[in-house]
Amino acid sequence: FPLLFWETITKQINNYAHFKITQRQQENKVKRPRLIASHKWFPVVLPEVMTYFGLLIYFMLHPQVGKRVRDAWNSPYNNAWTKFMTKSRFLQISSLLHFNDNEDEEGRQKDSLHKIRPLLNIVKITLGKYANFGSELSLDEATMANKSSYARFLICFNPMKPTGKFHFKIYMVCCAESNLTLRIKIHTKDNADTEVGENYDDYINKLDNLTMQLCRPFYKSGTTINMDNYYMSTTCAMKL
């Protein structure tokens, strides 16, 4: 990830912390408005942000069943990596984490993915760029159960899902051999996850357009993309 990306996150975290503290001071309802996660707030710096994401990645690669990241500080002998950041600082950054300007009203109204747009753009550029993948790929969807009202533009409803009828949906193209993710597209009600240069064909349906957009980068690459009937139609096959 480029340095500018990390600097942007650091700036937005501090901006949001300043906004929250100022708002509390104006409302005058809290005795200690500078408290964030029960500790006094000090502006975050770039190394702390990078350390924070490093801890998240490490915990993801070494998951502990039934435990959250914050629980790792309760047993420091089994989680030596917790020495790189205190639990209070980790919780502070978690509560204030922002990737984009929260005060950009125009951007928030036009783009349902505005809050994560910088992260999403970087991820899409770098996925599969620095790795070798096989000739057999798979196109399918991944879902994550969620009922948050903040994500109302992203949530889908599927009564066939046993544990997550309300969920996020992410369309993915992955390597069938290494499970490496090469392409992603987040489902939104306003079709906000559209990249610059993607051609939308008005003569075919949305699902066929989705399949074509995900498969287009692999055109004439010699790869085979496997998918189920949900993503394939006669029209889409002819277009591909």
Side-chain angles (χ1 to χ4, degrees):
F1 284 45
L3 183 61
L4 179 62
F5 171 76
W6 299 110
E7 292 174 344
T8 300
I9 297 178
T10 304
K11 177 182 177 181
Q12 296 305 331
I13 290 175
N14 289 325
N15 286 347
Y16 187 59
H18 176 73
F19 169 78
K20 288 195 68 174
I21 293 172
T22 303
Q23 187 180 48
R24 290 176 178 177
Q25 290 173 341
Q26 293 175 349
E27 293 176 352
N28 198 26
K29 295 181 179 179
V30 182
K31 293 183 178 180
R32 303 177 66 183
R34 292 193 60 86
L35 289 184
I36 302 292
S38 303
H39 290 78
K40 186 176 181 180
W41 170 257
F42 295 97
V44 71
V45 293
L46 182 63
E48 285 183 306
V49 174
M50 300 182 77
T51 301
Y52 172 82
F53 278 92
L55 297 182
L56 291 180
I57 293 173
Y58 185 89
F59 191 84
M60 178 190 68
L61 296 176
H62 302 83
Q64 300 177 18
V65 180
K67 292 186 178 181
R68 297 174 295 179
V69 182
R70 65 175 66 183
D71 297 330
W73 277 267
N74 299 333
S75 53
Y77 294 104
N78 298 327
N79 301 284
W81 49 273
T82 55
K83 66 182 179 181
F84 295 105
M85 180 175 286
T86 63
K87 181 179 181 179
S88 60
R89 194 57 165 171
F90 180 87
L91 295 177
Q92 282 186 326
I93 297 177
S94 296
S95 65
L96 298 171
L97 185 62
H98 271 67
F99 297 99
N100 213 344
D101 188 1
N102 202 48
E103 297 182 2
D104 183 5
E105 292 294 337
E106 183 179 357
R108 293 170 61 183
Q109 292 176 2
K110 292 183 178 180
D111 184 7
S112 57
L113 296 171
H114 172 76
K115 284 185 174 290
I116 62 167
R117 179 58 64 183
L119 174 63
L120 183 60
N121 290 342
I122 292 295
V123 168
K124 285 191 170 187
I125 292 173
T126 55
L127 278 178
K129 187 175 182 180
Y130 305 104
N132 296 322
F133 52 90
S135 60
E136 293 289 335
L137 308 181
S138 296
L139 190 159
D140 210 340
E141 64 187 57
T143 60
M144 293 172 283
N146 194 294
K147 288 186 178 181
S148 173
S149 61
Y150 294 103
R152 57 187 177 276
F153 295 108
L154 312 180
I155 291 179
C156 304
F157 176 74
N158 186 348
M160 303 303 293
K161 295 287 184 180
T163 58
K165 293 180 174 60
F166 295 92
H167 56 265
F168 295 137
K169 183 185 294 185
I170 303 178
Y171 303 102
M172 310 172 69
V173 176
C174 303
C175 175
E177 299 176 2
S178 63
N179 299 328
L180 179 69
T181 302
L182 306 175
R183 293 273 290 169
I184 62 171
K185 197 172 186 68
I186 300 176
H187 174 87
T188 61
K189 294 181 179 179
D190 59 354
N191 197 29
D193 192 11
T194 302
E195 300 175 17
V196 177
E198 284 187 341
N199 297 320
Y200 192 88
D201 194 334
D202 295 327
Y203 295 98
I204 61 178
N205 60 43
K206 292 183 179 180
L207 194 58
D208 288 342
N209 269 302
L210 168 71
T211 303
M212 292 181 61
Q213 290 169 7
L214 288 172
C215 296
R216 185 172 288 115
F218 307 104
Y219 182 61
K220 291 186 177 180
S221 64
T223 58
T224 301
I225 303 180
N226 305 280
M227 64 190 79
D228 54 34
N229 293 333
Y230 178 75
Y231 298 99
M232 181 51 63
S233 67
T234 304
T235 305
C236 185
M238 293 175 64
K239 288 285 185 178
L240 290 173

Coordinates of all heavy atoms in Angstrom, one line a residue, residues 55-135:
L55 N -1.5 -5.7 13.5 CA -2.1 -6.6 14.5 C -3.4 -7.3 14.0 O -3.6 -8.5 14.3 CB -2.5 -5.8 15.8 CG -1.3 -5.1 16.5 CD1 -1.8 -4.4 17.8 CD2 -0.3 -6.2 17.0
L56 N -4.2 -6.5 13.2 CA -5.4 -7.1 12.7 C -5.1 -8.2 11.7 O -5.7 -9.3 11.7 CB -6.2 -6.0 11.9 CG -6.9 -5.0 12.8 CD1 -7.6 -4.0 11.9 CD2 -7.8 -5.6 13.8
I57 N -4.0 -8.0 10.9 CA -3.6 -9.0 9.9 C -3.1 -10.3 10.6 O -3.4 -11.4 10.2 CB -2.6 -8.5 8.9 CG1 -3.2 -7.4 8.1 CG2 -2.0 -9.6 8.0 CD1 -2.2 -6.6 7.2
Y58 N -2.3 -10.1 11.6 CA -1.7 -11.2 12.4 C -2.9 -12.0 13.0 O -2.8 -13.3 13.0 CB -0.8 -10.7 13.4 CG -0.1 -11.8 14.2 CD1 1.1 -12.3 13.7 CD2 -0.6 -12.4 15.3 CE1 1.8 -13.4 14.3 CE2 0.0 -13.5 16.0 CZ 1.2 -13.9 15.5 OH 1.8 -15.0 16.1
F59 N -3.8 -11.3 13.6 CA -4.9 -12.1 14.3 C -5.8 -12.8 13.2 O -6.3 -13.9 13.5 CB -5.8 -11.1 15.0 CG -6.8 -11.7 15.9 CD1 -6.4 -12.2 17.2 CD2 -8.1 -12.0 15.5 CE1 -7.3 -12.8 18.1 CE2 -9.0 -12.6 16.4 CZ -8.6 -13.0 17.6
M60 N -5.9 -12.2 12.0 CA -6.7 -12.9 11.0 C -5.9 -14.2 10.5 O -6.6 -15.2 10.3 CB -6.8 -12.0 9.8 CG -7.6 -12.6 8.6 SD -7.5 -11.5 7.1 CE -5.7 -11.6 6.7
L61 N -4.6 -14.1 10.5 CA -3.8 -15.3 10.0 C -3.7 -16.3 11.1 O -3.5 -17.5 10.8 CB -2.4 -14.8 9.6 CG -2.4 -13.9 8.4 CD1 -0.9 -13.5 8.1 CD2 -2.9 -14.6 7.1
H62 N -3.9 -15.9 12.4 CA -3.8 -16.8 13.5 C -5.1 -16.7 14.4 O -5.0 -16.2 15.5 CB -2.6 -16.6 14.4 CG -1.3 -16.7 13.6 ND1 -0.8 -15.7 12.9 CD2 -0.5 -17.8 13.5 CE1 0.4 -16.1 12.3 NE2 0.6 -17.4 12.6
P63 N -6.2 -17.1 13.8 CA -7.5 -16.8 14.6 C -7.6 -17.7 15.8 O -7.1 -18.8 15.9 CB -8.6 -17.3 13.5 CG -7.9 -18.3 12.7 CD -6.4 -17.8 12.6
Q64 N -8.4 -17.1 16.8 CA -8.7 -17.8 18.0 C -10.2 -18.0 18.1 O -10.9 -17.0 18.3 CB -8.1 -17.0 19.2 CG -6.6 -16.8 19.1 CD -6.0 -16.0 20.3 OE1 -6.7 -15.9 21.3 NE2 -4.8 -15.5 20.1
V65 N -10.6 -19.2 18.1 CA -12.1 -19.5 18.0 C -12.8 -18.9 19.2 O -12.4 -19.1 20.3 CB -12.3 -21.0 17.9 CG1 -13.8 -21.3 17.8 CG2 -11.6 -21.6 16.7
G66 N -13.8 -18.2 18.9 CA -14.7 -17.6 20.0 C -14.1 -16.4 20.7 O -14.7 -16.0 21.7
K67 N -13.0 -15.9 20.2 CA -12.4 -14.7 20.8 C -12.3 -13.5 19.9 O -12.1 -13.7 18.7 CB -11.0 -15.0 21.4 CG -11.1 -16.0 22.5 CD -9.7 -16.2 23.1 CE -9.7 -17.2 24.3 NZ -8.3 -17.3 24.9
R68 N -12.5 -12.3 20.4 CA -12.3 -11.1 19.6 C -10.8 -10.7 19.8 O -10.1 -11.1 20.6 CB -13.2 -10.0 20.1 CG -14.7 -10.4 19.9 CD -15.6 -9.3 20.5 NE -15.4 -9.3 22.0 CZ -16.1 -8.4 22.8 NH1 -16.9 -7.6 22.2 NH2 -15.9 -8.4 24.1
V69 N -10.4 -9.7 18.9 CA -9.1 -9.2 19.0 C -8.7 -8.6 20.4 O -7.7 -8.9 20.9 CB -8.8 -8.2 17.9 CG1 -7.3 -7.7 17.9 CG2 -9.1 -8.8 16.5
R70 N -9.7 -7.9 20.9 CA -9.5 -7.2 22.2 C -9.2 -8.2 23.3 O -8.6 -7.9 24.3 CB -10.6 -6.3 22.5 CG -12.0 -7.1 22.8 CD -13.1 -6.2 23.3 NE -13.4 -5.2 22.2 CZ -14.3 -4.3 22.4 NH1 -14.9 -4.1 23.5 NH2 -14.6 -3.5 21.4
D71 N -9.7 -9.5 23.2 CA -9.5 -10.5 24.2 C -8.1 -11.0 24.3 O -7.7 -11.6 25.3 CB -10.4 -11.7 24.0 CG -11.9 -11.3 24.0 OD1 -12.2 -10.3 24.8 OD2 -12.7 -11.9 23.3
A72 N -7.3 -10.7 23.3 CA -5.9 -11.2 23.3 C -5.1 -10.6 24.4 O -4.1 -11.2 24.9 CB -5.2 -10.9 21.9
W73 N -5.4 -9.3 24.8 CA -4.6 -8.6 25.8 C -4.8 -9.3 27.2 O -4.1 -9.0 28.1 CB -5.0 -7.2 25.8 CG -4.2 -6.4 24.8 CD1 -3.0 -5.7 25.0 CD2 -4.5 -6.2 23.5 NE1 -2.6 -5.1 23.9 CE2 -3.5 -5.3 22.9 CE3 -5.6 -6.6 22.7 CZ2 -3.6 -4.9 21.5 CZ3 -5.6 -6.2 21.3 CH2 -4.6 -5.4 20.8
N74 N -5.9 -10.1 27.3 CA -6.1 -10.8 28.6 C -5.2 -11.9 28.9 O -5.0 -12.4 30.0 CB -7.6 -11.3 28.7 CG -8.6 -10.2 28.5 OD1 -8.3 -9.0 28.9 ND2 -9.8 -10.5 28.0
S75 N -4.5 -12.4 27.8 CA -3.5 -13.5 28.0 C -2.3 -13.1 27.2 O -2.0 -13.7 26.1 CB -4.1 -14.8 27.5 OG -4.6 -14.7 26.2
P76 N -1.5 -12.1 27.7 CA -0.3 -11.6 26.9 C 0.8 -12.7 26.7 O 1.6 -12.6 25.7 CB 0.2 -10.5 27.8 CG -0.3 -10.8 29.1 CD -1.6 -11.4 28.9
Y77 N 0.8 -13.7 27.6 CA 1.9 -14.7 27.4 C 1.6 -15.6 26.2 O 2.6 -16.1 25.6 CB 2.0 -15.6 28.7 CG 2.4 -14.9 29.9 CD1 1.5 -14.5 30.9 CD2 3.8 -14.5 30.0 CE1 2.0 -13.8 32.0 CE2 4.2 -13.8 31.2 CZ 3.3 -13.4 32.1 OH 3.8 -12.7 33.2
N78 N 0.3 -15.8 25.9 CA 0.0 -16.5 24.7 C -0.1 -15.7 23.4 O -0.2 -16.2 22.3 CB -1.3 -17.3 24.9 CG -1.3 -18.3 26.0 OD1 -0.3 -18.9 26.3 ND2 -2.4 -18.4 26.7
N79 N -0.1 -14.4 23.6 CA -0.2 -13.4 22.5 C 0.9 -12.4 22.6 O 0.6 -11.2 23.0 CB -1.6 -12.8 22.5 CG -2.7 -13.8 22.3 OD1 -2.9 -14.4 21.3 ND2 -3.4 -14.1 23.4
A80 N 2.1 -12.8 22.3 CA 3.2 -11.8 22.5 C 3.1 -10.6 21.7 O 3.7 -9.6 22.0 CB 4.5 -12.6 22.2
W81 N 2.4 -10.7 20.6 CA 2.3 -9.5 19.7 C 1.5 -8.3 20.3 O 1.6 -7.2 19.8 CB 1.6 -10.0 18.4 CG 0.3 -10.7 18.5 CD1 0.2 -12.1 18.7 CD2 -1.0 -10.2 18.6 NE1 -1.1 -12.4 18.9 CE2 -1.9 -11.3 18.8 CE3 -1.5 -8.9 18.5 CZ2 -3.3 -11.2 18.9 CZ3 -2.9 -8.8 18.6 CH2 -3.8 -9.9 18.8
T82 N 0.8 -8.6 21.4 CA 0.1 -7.5 22.0 C 1.0 -6.5 22.7 O 0.6 -5.4 23.0 CB -0.8 -8.0 23.1 OG1 -0.1 -8.8 24.1 CG2 -1.9 -8.9 22.5
K83 N 2.3 -6.8 22.8 CA 3.2 -5.8 23.4 C 3.5 -4.6 22.5 O 4.1 -3.6 22.9 CB 4.6 -6.5 23.7 CG 5.3 -7.0 22.5 CD 6.6 -7.7 22.9 CE 7.4 -8.2 21.6 NZ 8.6 -8.9 22.0
F84 N 3.1 -4.7 21.2 CA 3.4 -3.6 20.3 C 2.4 -2.5 20.4 O 2.6 -1.4 19.8 CB 3.4 -4.2 18.8 CG 4.5 -5.1 18.6 CD1 4.3 -6.5 18.5 CD2 5.8 -4.7 18.5 CE1 5.3 -7.4 18.3 CE2 6.9 -5.6 18.2 CZ 6.6 -7.0 18.1
M85 N 1.3 -2.7 21.1 CA 0.3 -1.7 21.3 C -0.5 -2.0 22.5 O -0.9 -3.2 22.7 CB -0.6 -1.5 20.0 CG -1.7 -0.5 20.1 SD -2.6 -0.2 18.6 CE -1.4 0.6 17.6
T86 N -0.9 -1.0 23.3 CA -1.7 -1.2 24.4 C -3.1 -1.5 24.0 O -3.6 -1.0 22.9 CB -1.7 0.0 25.4 OG1 -2.2 1.1 24.7 CG2 -0.2 0.3 25.8
K87 N -3.9 -2.1 24.9 CA -5.3 -2.4 24.6 C -6.1 -1.1 24.4 O -7.0 -1.0 23.6 CB -5.9 -3.3 25.7 CG -7.3 -3.7 25.4 CD -7.8 -4.6 26.5 CE -9.3 -5.0 26.3 NZ -9.8 -5.9 27.3
S88 N -5.8 -0.2 25.3 CA -6.6 1.1 25.3 C -6.4 1.8 24.0 O -7.3 2.4 23.4 CB -6.2 2.0 26.4 OG -4.8 2.3 26.4
R89 N -5.1 1.8 23.5 CA -4.9 2.5 22.2 C -5.5 1.8 21.0 O -6.0 2.4 20.1 CB -3.3 2.6 22.0 CG -2.9 3.6 20.9 CD -3.5 5.0 21.1 NE -2.8 6.0 20.3 CZ -3.2 7.2 20.2 NH1 -4.3 7.6 20.9 NH2 -2.5 8.1 19.5
F90 N -5.5 0.5 21.1 CA -6.1 -0.3 20.0 C -7.6 -0.1 20.0 O -8.2 0.1 18.9 CB -5.9 -1.8 20.3 CG -6.5 -2.7 19.3 CD1 -5.8 -3.1 18.1 CD2 -7.8 -3.3 19.5 CE1 -6.4 -3.9 17.2 CE2 -8.4 -4.1 18.5 CZ -7.7 -4.4 17.4
L91 N -8.3 0.0 21.1 CA -9.7 0.3 21.2 C -10.0 1.7 20.7 O -11.1 2.0 20.1 CB -10.2 0.1 22.6 CG -10.2 -1.4 23.1 CD1 -10.7 -1.5 24.5 CD2 -11.0 -2.3 22.2
Q92 N -9.1 2.7 21.0 CA -9.3 4.0 20.6 C -9.3 4.1 19.1 O -10.2 4.7 18.5 CB -8.2 4.9 21.2 CG -8.5 5.3 22.6 CD -7.4 6.3 23.1 OE1 -6.3 6.3 22.7 NE2 -7.9 7.2 24.0
I93 N -8.3 3.5 18.5 CA -8.2 3.6 17.0 C -9.4 2.9 16.4 O -9.9 3.3 15.3 CB -6.8 3.0 16.5 CG1 -5.7 3.8 17.1 CG2 -6.8 2.9 15.0 CD1 -4.3 3.3 16.8
S94 N -9.8 1.7 17.0 CA -10.9 1.0 16.4 C -12.2 1.8 16.4 O -13.0 1.8 15.5 CB -11.2 -0.3 17.2 OG -10.0 -1.2 17.1
S95 N -12.4 2.6 17.5 CA -13.6 3.4 17.6 C -13.6 4.6 16.7 O -14.7 5.2 16.4 CB -13.8 3.8 19.0 OG -12.8 4.7 19.4
L96 N -12.4 5.0 16.2 CA -12.3 6.2 15.4 C -11.9 6.0 14.0 O -11.7 6.9 13.2 CB -11.3 7.2 16.0 CG -11.7 7.7 17.4 CD1 -10.5 8.5 18.0 CD2 -12.9 8.6 17.4
L97 N -11.7 4.7 13.6 CA -11.2 4.4 12.3 C -12.0 4.9 11.1 O -13.2 4.7 11.0 CB -11.1 2.9 12.2 CG -10.4 2.3 10.9 CD1 -8.9 2.8 10.8 CD2 -10.5 0.8 10.9
H98 N -11.3 5.7 10.3 CA -12.0 6.3 9.1 C -11.0 6.3 7.9 O -9.8 6.5 8.1 CB -12.4 7.8 9.4 CG -13.8 7.9 9.9 ND1 -14.1 7.4 11.2 CD2 -14.9 8.4 9.4 CE1 -15.4 7.7 11.4 NE2 -15.9 8.2 10.4
F99 N -11.5 6.0 6.7 CA -10.7 6.0 5.5 C -10.9 7.2 4.6 O -10.2 7.4 3.7 CB -11.0 4.7 4.7 CG -10.7 3.4 5.5 CD1 -11.7 2.7 6.1 CD2 -9.4 3.0 5.5 CE1 -11.4 1.5 6.8 CE2 -9.1 1.8 6.2 CZ -10.1 1.1 6.8
N100 N -12.0 7.9 4.9 CA -12.4 9.0 4.0 C -12.9 10.2 4.8 O -13.2 10.0 6.0 CB -13.4 8.6 2.9 CG -13.2 9.3 1.6 OD1 -12.5 10.3 1.5 ND2 -13.8 8.7 0.5
D101 N -13.1 11.3 4.1 CA -13.5 12.5 4.8 C -15.0 12.4 5.2 O -15.9 12.3 4.3 CB -13.4 13.7 3.9 CG -13.7 15.1 4.6 OD1 -14.0 15.0 5.8 OD2 -13.6 16.1 3.9
N102 N -15.3 12.4 6.5 CA -16.6 12.1 7.0 C -17.5 13.4 6.8 O -18.7 13.3 6.9 CB -16.5 11.8 8.5 CG -17.8 11.1 9.0 OD1 -18.2 10.1 8.3 ND2 -18.3 11.5 10.1
E103 N -16.9 14.5 6.5 CA -17.7 15.8 6.4 C -18.0 16.1 4.9 O -18.6 17.1 4.6 CB -17.0 16.9 7.0 CG -16.7 16.8 8.5 CD -16.0 17.9 9.1 OE1 -15.8 18.9 8.4 OE2 -15.8 17.9 10.3
D104 N -17.6 15.2 4.0 CA -17.9 15.4 2.6 C -19.3 14.9 2.3 O -19.6 13.8 1.9 CB -16.9 14.6 1.7 CG -17.1 14.8 0.2 OD1 -17.9 15.6 -0.1 OD2 -16.4 14.2 -0.6
E105 N -20.3 15.8 2.5 CA -21.7 15.4 2.3 C -22.0 15.0 0.9 O -22.8 14.1 0.6 CB -22.6 16.6 2.8 CG -22.6 16.9 4.3 CD -23.2 15.7 5.1 OE1 -24.0 15.0 4.5 OE2 -22.8 15.6 6.3
E106 N -21.5 15.8 -0.1 CA -21.8 15.5 -1.5 C -21.3 14.1 -1.8 O -22.0 13.3 -2.5 CB -21.1 16.5 -2.4 CG -21.4 16.3 -3.9 CD -20.8 17.4 -4.7 OE1 -20.1 18.3 -4.2 OE2 -20.9 17.3 -5.9
G107 N -20.1 13.7 -1.4 CA -19.5 12.4 -1.7 C -20.4 11.3 -1.0 O -20.6 10.2 -1.6
R108 N -20.8 11.5 0.2 CA -21.6 10.5 0.9 C -23.0 10.3 0.2 O -23.5 9.2 0.3 CB -21.8 11.0 2.4 CG -20.5 11.0 3.2 CD -20.7 11.6 4.5 NE -21.7 11.0 5.3 CZ -22.1 11.4 6.5 NH1 -21.6 12.5 7.0 NH2 -23.0 10.7 7.2
Q109 N -23.5 11.3 -0.3 CA -24.8 11.2 -1.0 C -24.7 10.5 -2.3 O -25.6 9.8 -2.7 CB -25.5 12.6 -1.2 CG -25.9 13.2 0.1 CD -26.4 14.6 0.0 OE1 -26.6 15.1 -1.2 NE2 -26.8 15.3 1.1
K110 N -23.6 10.7 -3.1 CA -23.5 10.2 -4.4 C -22.9 8.8 -4.4 O -23.1 8.0 -5.3 CB -22.6 11.1 -5.2 CG -23.2 12.4 -5.6 CD -22.3 13.2 -6.5 CE -22.9 14.6 -6.9 NZ -22.0 15.4 -7.7
D111 N -22.2 8.4 -3.4 CA -21.4 7.2 -3.3 C -21.7 6.4 -2.0 O -21.4 6.9 -1.0 CB -19.9 7.4 -3.4 CG -19.1 6.2 -3.5 OD1 -19.7 5.1 -3.6 OD2 -17.9 6.3 -3.5
S112 N -22.4 5.3 -2.1 CA -22.8 4.5 -0.9 C -21.5 3.9 -0.3 O -21.6 3.4 0.8 CB -23.8 3.5 -1.3 OG -23.4 2.6 -2.3
L113 N -20.4 3.8 -1.1 CA -19.2 3.2 -0.6 C -18.1 4.3 -0.2 O -16.9 4.1 -0.2 CB -18.6 2.3 -1.6 CG -19.4 1.0 -1.9 CD1 -18.8 0.3 -3.1 CD2 -19.5 0.1 -0.7
H114 N -18.6 5.5 0.0 CA -17.8 6.7 0.2 C -16.8 6.5 1.4 O -15.6 6.8 1.3 CB -18.6 7.9 0.4 CG -17.8 9.1 0.8 ND1 -17.0 9.9 -0.1 CD2 -17.7 9.7 2.0 CE1 -16.5 10.9 0.6 NE2 -16.8 10.8 1.8
K115 N -17.3 5.9 2.4 CA -16.5 5.8 3.7 C -15.3 4.8 3.5 O -14.3 5.0 4.2 CB -17.4 5.2 4.8 CG -18.3 6.3 5.4 CD -19.0 5.8 6.6 CE -19.8 6.9 7.3 NZ -18.9 7.8 7.9
I116 N -15.4 3.9 2.6 CA -14.2 3.0 2.3 C -13.6 3.1 1.0 O -12.9 2.3 0.5 CB -14.7 1.5 2.6 CG1 -15.8 1.1 1.6 CG2 -15.1 1.3 4.0 CD1 -16.0 -0.4 1.5
R117 N -14.0 4.1 0.2 CA -13.6 4.3 -1.2 C -12.1 4.2 -1.3 O -11.5 3.5 -2.2 CB -14.2 5.5 -1.8 CG -13.8 5.8 -3.2 CD -14.2 4.7 -4.1 NE -15.6 4.5 -4.2 CZ -16.2 3.6 -4.9 NH1 -15.5 2.6 -5.5 NH2 -17.5 3.5 -4.9
P118 N -11.2 5.0 -0.6 CA -9.8 4.9 -0.7 C -9.2 3.5 -0.5 O -8.4 3.0 -1.3 CB -9.2 5.9 0.3 CG -10.4 6.8 0.6 CD -11.6 6.0 0.5
L119 N -9.7 2.8 0.5 CA -9.3 1.4 0.7 C -9.7 0.5 -0.4 O -8.9 -0.3 -0.9 CB -9.9 0.9 2.1 CG -9.6 -0.6 2.4 CD1 -8.1 -0.8 2.6 CD2 -10.4 -1.0 3.6
L120 N -10.9 0.6 -0.9 CA -11.4 -0.3 -1.9 C -10.7 -0.1 -3.2 O -10.3 -1.0 -3.9 CB -12.9 0.0 -2.1 CG -13.6 -0.8 -3.2 CD1 -13.6 -2.3 -2.8 CD2 -15.1 -0.4 -3.3
N121 N -10.3 1.2 -3.5 CA -9.6 1.5 -4.8 C -8.2 0.8 -4.7 O -7.8 0.3 -5.7 CB -9.5 3.0 -5.0 CG -10.8 3.6 -5.4 OD1 -11.7 2.9 -5.8 ND2 -10.9 4.9 -5.2
I122 N -7.5 1.0 -3.6 CA -6.2 0.4 -3.5 C -6.2 -1.1 -3.5 O -5.4 -1.8 -4.2 CB -5.5 0.9 -2.1 CG1 -5.2 2.4 -2.2 CG2 -4.2 0.1 -1.9 CD1 -4.2 2.8 -3.2
V123 N -7.2 -1.7 -2.9 CA -7.3 -3.2 -2.9 C -7.5 -3.7 -4.3 O -6.9 -4.7 -4.7 CB -8.5 -3.6 -1.9 CG1 -8.8 -5.1 -2.1 CG2 -8.1 -3.4 -0.5
K124 N -8.4 -3.0 -5.0 CA -8.7 -3.5 -6.4 C -7.5 -3.4 -7.3 O -7.3 -4.3 -8.2 CB -9.8 -2.7 -7.0 CG -11.2 -3.0 -6.4 CD -12.3 -2.4 -7.2 CE -13.7 -2.9 -6.8 NZ -14.7 -2.4 -7.7
I125 N -6.7 -2.4 -7.1 CA -5.5 -2.2 -7.9 C -4.4 -3.3 -7.6 O -3.8 -3.8 -8.5 CB -4.9 -0.8 -7.7 CG1 -5.8 0.3 -8.3 CG2 -3.5 -0.7 -8.4 CD1 -5.4 1.7 -8.0
T126 N -4.3 -3.6 -6.3 CA -3.2 -4.5 -5.9 C -3.6 -6.0 -6.0 O -2.7 -6.8 -5.9 CB -2.7 -4.1 -4.5 OG1 -3.9 -4.2 -3.6 CG2 -2.1 -2.7 -4.5
L127 N -4.9 -6.3 -6.0 CA -5.3 -7.7 -6.0 C -4.7 -8.5 -7.2 O -4.9 -8.1 -8.3 CB -6.8 -7.9 -6.0 CG -7.5 -7.7 -4.7 CD1 -9.0 -7.8 -4.9 CD2 -7.1 -8.7 -3.7
G128 N -3.9 -9.5 -6.8 CA -3.4 -10.4 -7.9 C -2.2 -9.8 -8.7 O -1.7 -10.4 -9.6
K129 N -1.8 -8.5 -8.3 CA -0.8 -7.9 -9.1 C 0.6 -8.4 -8.9 O 1.4 -8.4 -9.8 CB -0.8 -6.4 -8.8 CG 0.1 -5.5 -9.7 CD -0.1 -4.0 -9.4 CE 0.7 -3.2 -10.3 NZ 0.5 -1.7 -10.1
Y130 N 0.8 -8.8 -7.6 CA 2.2 -9.3 -7.3 C 2.3 -10.8 -6.9 O 3.1 -11.2 -6.1 CB 2.7 -8.5 -6.0 CG 2.6 -7.0 -6.3 CD1 1.6 -6.2 -5.7 CD2 3.5 -6.3 -7.0 CE1 1.5 -4.8 -5.9 CE2 3.5 -5.0 -7.3 CZ 2.5 -4.2 -6.7 OH 2.5 -2.9 -6.9
A131 N 1.4 -11.5 -7.6 CA 1.4 -13.0 -7.3 C 1.1 -13.7 -8.6 O 0.4 -13.2 -9.5 CB 0.3 -13.3 -6.3
N132 N 1.6 -14.9 -8.7 CA 1.3 -15.8 -9.8 C 0.1 -16.7 -9.5 O 0.0 -17.3 -8.4 CB 2.5 -16.7 -10.1 CG 3.7 -15.9 -10.5 OD1 3.6 -14.9 -11.3 ND2 4.9 -16.3 -10.1
F133 N -0.8 -16.7 -10.4 CA -2.0 -17.5 -10.2 C -2.2 -18.5 -11.3 O -1.6 -18.4 -12.4 CB -3.3 -16.7 -10.0 CG -3.5 -15.7 -11.1 CD1 -4.2 -16.0 -12.3 CD2 -3.0 -14.4 -11.1 CE1 -4.4 -15.1 -13.3 CE2 -3.2 -13.5 -12.1 CZ -3.9 -13.8 -13.2
G134 N -3.0 -19.6 -11.1 CA -3.1 -20.6 -12.1 C -4.0 -20.3 -13.2 O -4.5 -19.2 -13.3
S135 N -4.3 -21.2 -14.0 CA -5.2 -21.0 -15.2 C -6.6 -21.4 -14.9 O -7.5 -21.2 -15.8 CB -4.6 -21.9 -16.4 OG -4.7 -23.3 -16.1

